[in-house]
Amino acid sequence: GNRVIASDGVNWFTIATNESILACYETNAAQSIADNTVTIINFEDTLKDLYGVVTIGASWKFTCPSVGDYSVNALVTLGNITSIGAAEQVFLYIYKNGSAVARVFYTASASAAAEYSWSISDILTNCIATDYIDIRFQQISGGALSLQASATGNRVSIRRI
């Protein structure tokens, strides 16, 4: 009937089709982002993960435990930046199964000193159990930059809708 058998890659469990699937994570670790390298963001601190479907670390990912459409929302902030120079670029991505499905792009129009934040949201339709979702960041500034060491500026939430 209204229940599906699902797996997080390790365990099998039953989830009602109308049951909430939700994972919320954040990071305050000031992760370093190398120049011109697409990097998975490690949101290492759990706020909520109803089914334990997130793998943390350098390969951070949310593994869909059952079929459905998933809403993805992420906020990433670079911190302790003395400047972002004119024409330097930043990309924030949502990846599904190792391929980019959504992107936010920014090119600085002038040099400025500040902390910068970017957010991205999308709905990934027709996901199946074992599909995986992650958030990636790329910056082209000529050197490594770090995320702000504040969880309020670096968060992700993924839920089945």
Side-chain angles (χ1 to χ4, degrees), residues 20-36:
S20 293
I21 297 172
L22 172 67
C24 298
Y25 280 75
E26 62 189 14
T27 180
N28 60 358
Q31 179 179 349
S32 180
I33 309 295
D35 182 51
N36 203 16

Side-chain angles (χ1 to χ4, degrees), residues 94-118:
I94 297 172
Y95 269 60
K96 178 182 171 189
N97 298 329
S99 297
V101 294
R103 177 184 81 172
V104 171
F105 172 72
Y106 169 80
T107 299
S109 59
S111 294
E115 292 177 336
Y116 293 87
S117 293
W118 295 270

Side-chain angles (χ1 to χ4, degrees), residues 31-97:
Q31 179 179 349
S32 180
I33 309 295
D35 182 51
N36 203 16
T37 302
V38 178
T39 304
I40 295 173
I41 301 300
N42 178 21
F43 298 97
E44 85 286 354
D45 297 327
T46 308
L47 297 172
K48 181 168 278 218
D49 189 346
L50 297 176
Y51 291 101
V53 294
V54 169
T55 302
I56 62 172
S59 300
W60 190 99
K61 66 182 176 182
F62 171 99
T63 302
C64 299
S66 69
V67 298
D69 300 332
Y70 287 79
S71 174
V72 180
N73 298 284
L75 171 67
V76 174
T77 303
L78 290 174
N80 300 319
I81 304 168
T82 55
S83 69
I84 290 236
E88 291 177 356
Q89 300 174 331
V90 169
F91 303 84
L92 179 60
Y93 301 94
I94 297 172
Y95 269 60
K96 178 182 171 189
N97 298 329

Side-chain angles (χ1 to χ4, degrees), residues 11 17 29 57 59 63 77 79 92-93 100 110 116-117 120-121 123 130 141 143-144 156 158 160-161:
N11 303 300
T17 54
S59 300
T63 302
T77 303
L92 179 60
Y93 301 94
Y116 293 87
S117 293
I120 191 167
S121 298
I123 295 174
T130 72
S141 68
V156 64
I158 301 173
R160 184 175 67 179
I161 54 174

